Amino acid sequence: MMRQAGRYLPEYRELRADYSFRSAISTPEVATEISLQPWHRFHPDGIVLYSDILTVLEPLGLSYRIESGVGPVIDEPPMGPDDFCHRPNAVAEELAYVGDILDRLRVEVADAAALIGFVGGPFTVAAYAVEGQPSRSFMSVRRLLHTDPTAFAEMLSVIADALVELAILQVEHGADVIQLFDTHAGLLSREDYATFILPVQRRILAAIDVPTIIFARNMSGRLDQLAATGANVIGLDWTVEMASARAELGDRSVQGNLDPAVLFADPATVAERTRAIIDAAGNTGHILNLGHGVDKNTPVAGVEAFFNAVKDIDRGH
Amino acid sequence: MMRQAGRYLPEYRELRADYSFRSAISTPEVATEISLQPWHRFHPDGIVLYSDILTVLEPLGLSYRIESGVGPVIDEPPMGPDDFCHRPNAVAEELAYVGDILDRLRVEVADAAALIGFVGGPFTVAAYAVEGQPSRSFMSVRRLLHTDPTAFAEMLSVIADALVELAILQVEHGADVIQLFDTHAGLLSREDYATFILPVQRRILAAIDVPTIIFARNMSGRLDQLAATGANVIGLDWTVEMASARAELGDRSVQGNLDPAVLFADPATVAERTRAIIDAAGNTGHILNLGHGVDKNTPVAGVEAFFNAVKDIDRGH
């Protein structure tokens, strides 16, 4: 489940009362415990590393903070590639705690669950960085693309170098699969995505020696572009119809795609809508997941019904 | 052009210095002047009524205010359909100024330009109302859909009644075409869109006796659902590829779809990308437009290049 560990769980809220988000993700014992919370409750097949797609900004020389009610804020947003500083080994040194969390998770679960690592996608990391805060349109980075395409491309390339290092660090510490979350890349036109984003996503994914999953929102009309990234698994948001995605993508494995809002429904409805997705996806090459992160107000009963729907099928019900 | 009158124009910023947004849209002489500002500069074929998709909330008994840096805010968001109050004639009485603006525009331009009216779409109006403010996910209204689908459907129906009255008022005052802006309806899954939104959009569009345009963002993988609304023209956001949309939609007219971010590029690039859309759309049944509203920081030179690209083609260049 995306955002598997999170505010919808009372034990998460309790633990987080003592730690800021930034200290929770960077303190291995805390991040390990948080990563394991949903596993203890629901026993999914995979444990998602508890981290943040923007951690990579720090070794790139940009500090960010989490502002309550706003989200990640960068006080001096970069204007171009020269405002990033990519020192050799900076990722391995400054984000060593990520490897530590994965090591601890492996000790805790041995081979009972897959460890799922992730990095942000190059466009999405650039979008947050240049905008300096969350945005609906991320117009600042799109403006940069059109006013100075060379600088934009160079910026993506510098970010991609750091993302590759972070992904490799996770693989070296036992991640069984890496997700590339380029959540907002669907904000670009097909043409601009093809020109600027696709080559960089391909380069990142090609450097990863374990199976990969790509996710981007609002790509329903151009799943072929996600497939062209070379990722082993194509993440689908909930606006994609599973049956037509399978038809379009052929043998490629898919992940998704229950609307996270459905988890607010009664458990019987959650189970029914989850089973419909499993049925539409067929028997192979499908990782059941939500179509985006679970909302912080989601009732635990809804999440439970989602996991139970899969287990009932596993048990042949 | 969507959001044709707006902050990117210095004369708009100057006039708005003396009026709040709410007083500007509801004071006929001011709203008329603002509506005409882009026409005086660029002489497009159509003049877009200067108004707001949320005006309809007032005759529905919900007051809203514009908070600086946030957008429209409703202090007591409705929890269900009973929190809306739809009195007979409330729309005609409380939004009479909208008719007044259109009357004035007709006097000003006679038959030299089409008058383009608009209403918000039922989902988008409900989404702002229930959330109480702008949002990326509009999870409050999506939660209502899944916790109480009957209440959600009733709410959409009450809103739709008022939207029909507002559209008819605009037609009675000379609007040549009505746009239905259900900008955020693409947040729903295909199934929920078909169940809850499509029938209501169809009902609204069927009640309008002039040509209609529908617009929703992030519908690239399901243009058939937009076509099924019965709108005469399908608005395309910039993430849709024009050539494939034409192929998919057959004879149906389309509107769009230049990425508003492209207007930040140099004028030659703006012209080139605009011409590419015109070429892909073909010679008939295409209203050139942006794929969404123009950004407030857009250089006027970019907008000018956009309009000139069409005019050069009209002149046979």
Side-chain angles (χ1 to χ4, degrees):
Chain A
M1 202 171 72
M2 279 188 261
R3 222 178 290 155
Q4 188 157 281
R7 292 221 160 268
Y8 72 100
L9 285 176
E11 59 269 32
Y12 175 92
R13 296 193 298 271
E14 195 182 329
L15 184 53
R16 274 292 315 284
D18 298 328
Y19 301 89
S20 71
F21 176 66
R22 293 296 300 282
S23 72
I25 61 171
S26 59
T27 308
E29 54 268 41
V30 176
T32 301
E33 185 177 342
I34 290 177
S35 302
L36 290 169
Q37 284 176 341
W39 192 64
H40 290 317
R41 257 191 198 258
F42 309 117
H43 297 286
D45 298 329
I47 293 172
V48 182
L49 168 71
Y50 180 68
S51 193
D52 182 34
I53 63 164
L54 297 187
T55 54
V56 77
L57 291 178
E58 300 272 347
L60 283 167
L62 295 166
S63 65
Y64 74 105
R65 58 194 169 81
I66 305 292
E67 196 170 298
S68 176
V70 177
V73 171
I74 296 157
D75 286 320
E76 293 180 35
M79 308 287 285
D82 298 341
D83 294 332
F84 291 80
C85 160
H86 186 224
R87 288 181 296 108
N89 294 319
V91 168
E93 285 165 17
E94 297 191 36
L95 301 180
Y97 62 81
V98 172
D100 195 356
I101 299 164
L102 287 163
D103 291 342
R104 286 163 185 256
L105 287 172
R106 182 59 76 204
V107 169
E108 293 287 338
V109 305
D111 291 333
L115 297 184
I116 304 173
F118 70 88
V119 294
F123 178 78
T124 302
V125 171
Y128 276 101
V130 176
E131 192 75 31
Q133 58 178 35
S135 164
R136 270 166 291 167
S137 65
F138 287 107
M139 192 55 89
S140 302
V141 76
R142 291 162 61 201
R143 177 182 183 159
L144 177 65
L145 184 163
H146 292 288
T147 50
D148 194 344
T150 306
F152 175 72
E154 278 172 25
M155 181 186 288
L156 290 181
S157 185
V158 174
I159 292 171
D161 291 341
L163 293 173
V164 165
E165 289 180 25
L166 179 55
I168 288 174
L169 182 147
Q170 294 180 38
V171 172
E172 286 173 351
H173 287 269
D176 296 302
V177 52
I178 298 287
Q179 303 200 53
L180 182 65
F181 281 117
D182 218 347
T183 311
H184 300 299
L187 275 171
L188 296 185
S189 68
R190 182 177 179 87
E191 180 180 353
D192 292 331
Y193 186 95
T195 305
F196 294 98
I197 308 304
L198 194 48
V200 183
Q201 290 176 336
R202 284 185 68 86
R203 172 159 78 85
I204 295 168
L205 290 163
I208 299 172
D209 286 333
V210 296
T212 54
I213 306 170
I214 186 147
F215 178 80
R217 288 241 18 235
N218 296 315
M219 294 291 286
S220 67
R222 40 197 178 136
L223 297 180
D224 61 307
Q225 291 199 305
L226 287 182
T229 61
N232 300 98
V233 182
I234 310 302
L236 306 172
D237 77 11
W238 72 94
T239 70
V240 178
E241 199 183 29
M242 179 58 82
S244 46
R246 295 298 327 216
E248 186 177 343
L249 291 168
D251 289 341
R252 190 74 65 101
S253 294
V254 297
Q255 174 175 276
N257 69 347
L258 187 73
D259 182 352
V262 169
L263 300 182
F264 286 98
D266 62 283
T269 303
V270 174
E272 185 192 323
R273 302 269 304 236
T274 304
R275 278 195 298 267
I277 286 169
I278 295 169
D279 290 346
N283 286 330
T284 57
H286 174 221
I287 300 170
L288 180 70
N289 205 324
L290 301 181
H292 199 196
V294 58
D295 186 78
K296 64 178 194 277
N297 297 311
T298 305
V300 175
V303 176
E304 201 161 30
F306 171 71
F307 282 110
N308 284 343
V310 201
K311 289 178 191 157
D312 287 349
I313 287 174
D314 285 348
R315 290 189 207 102
H317 295 184
Chain B
M1 203 172 70
M2 281 189 260
R3 221 178 291 155
Q4 187 157 281
R7 291 222 162 266
Y8 72 100
L9 285 176
E11 58 269 32
Y12 175 93
R13 296 194 297 270
E14 195 183 328
L15 185 54
R16 275 291 314 285
D18 298 330
Y19 299 90
S20 71
F21 176 66
R22 294 295 300 281
S23 73
I25 62 171
S26 60
T27 307
E29 53 269 41
V30 176
T32 302
E33 186 178 341
I34 290 176
S35 302
L36 290 169
Q37 284 176 342
W39 192 64
H40 290 316
R41 259 192 195 258
F42 309 115
H43 299 285
D45 298 329
I47 293 172
V48 182
L49 168 71
Y50 180 69
S51 192
D52 182 35
I53 64 164
L54 296 186
T55 55
V56 77
L57 291 178
E58 300 272 347
L60 284 167
L62 295 166
S63 66
Y64 75 104
R65 60 194 168 79
I66 305 292
E67 196 169 298
S68 177
V70 178
V73 172
I74 296 156
D75 287 319
E76 294 180 35
M79 308 287 285
D82 299 342
D83 293 332
F84 290 79
C85 159
H86 187 222
R87 291 179 296 106
N89 294 319
V91 168
E93 284 165 16
E94 296 190 38
L95 302 180
Y97 62 81
V98 172
D100 195 355
I101 299 164
L102 287 164
D103 291 342
R104 287 164 185 257
L105 287 172
R106 182 59 75 203
V107 169
E108 292 288 337
V109 305
D111 292 331
L115 297 184
I116 304 173
F118 70 88
V119 294
F123 178 78
T124 302
V125 171
Y128 277 102
V130 175
E131 191 76 31
Q133 60 179 35
S135 165
R136 269 166 290 167
S137 65
F138 287 107
M139 193 54 89
S140 303
V141 77
R142 290 162 61 199
R143 175 181 185 161
L144 177 66
L145 184 162
H146 292 288
T147 50
D148 193 343
T150 307
F152 175 71
E154 278 172 24
M155 181 186 287
L156 289 181
S157 185
V158 174
I159 292 171
D161 291 342
L163 293 173
V164 165
E165 289 179 25
L166 179 56
I168 289 175
L169 181 147
Q170 293 180 38
V171 173
E172 287 173 351
H173 287 270
D176 296 302
V177 53
I178 298 286
Q179 303 201 52
L180 183 66
F181 281 116
D182 218 348
T183 311
H184 300 298
L187 276 172
L188 298 184
S189 69
R190 183 178 178 88
E191 179 180 352
D192 292 331
Y193 186 95
T195 305
F196 293 99
I197 308 304
L198 194 48
V200 183
Q201 290 176 335
R202 285 185 66 89
R203 173 159 78 82
I204 295 167
L205 290 162
I208 299 172
D209 286 332
V210 297
T212 54
I213 306 170
I214 186 145
F215 178 80
R217 289 242 15 237
N218 294 318
M219 294 290 286
S220 68
R222 40 200 178 134
L223 297 180
D224 61 306
Q225 292 199 304
L226 288 181
T229 62
N232 300 97
V233 181
I234 310 302
L236 306 173
D237 78 11
W238 72 95
T239 70
V240 179
E241 199 184 29
M242 178 59 81
S244 46
R246 295 295 330 214
E248 186 178 343
L249 291 168
D251 290 342
R252 191 72 66 99
S253 293
V254 297
Q255 174 177 276
N257 68 344
L258 187 73
D259 182 351
V262 169
L263 300 182
F264 286 98
D266 61 282
T269 302
V270 174
E272 184 193 325
R273 302 270 303 235
T274 304
R275 277 195 299 267
I277 287 169
I278 296 169
D279 290 345
N283 287 328
T284 57
H286 174 222
I287 299 170
L288 180 71
N289 205 325
L290 300 181
H292 198 199
V294 58
D295 185 79
K296 63 178 194 280
N297 297 313
T298 306
V300 175
V303 176
E304 200 162 31
F306 171 71
F307 282 110
N308 284 345
V310 201
K311 289 177 191 158
D312 286 349
I313 287 174
D314 285 348
R315 291 190 205 102
H317 295 184

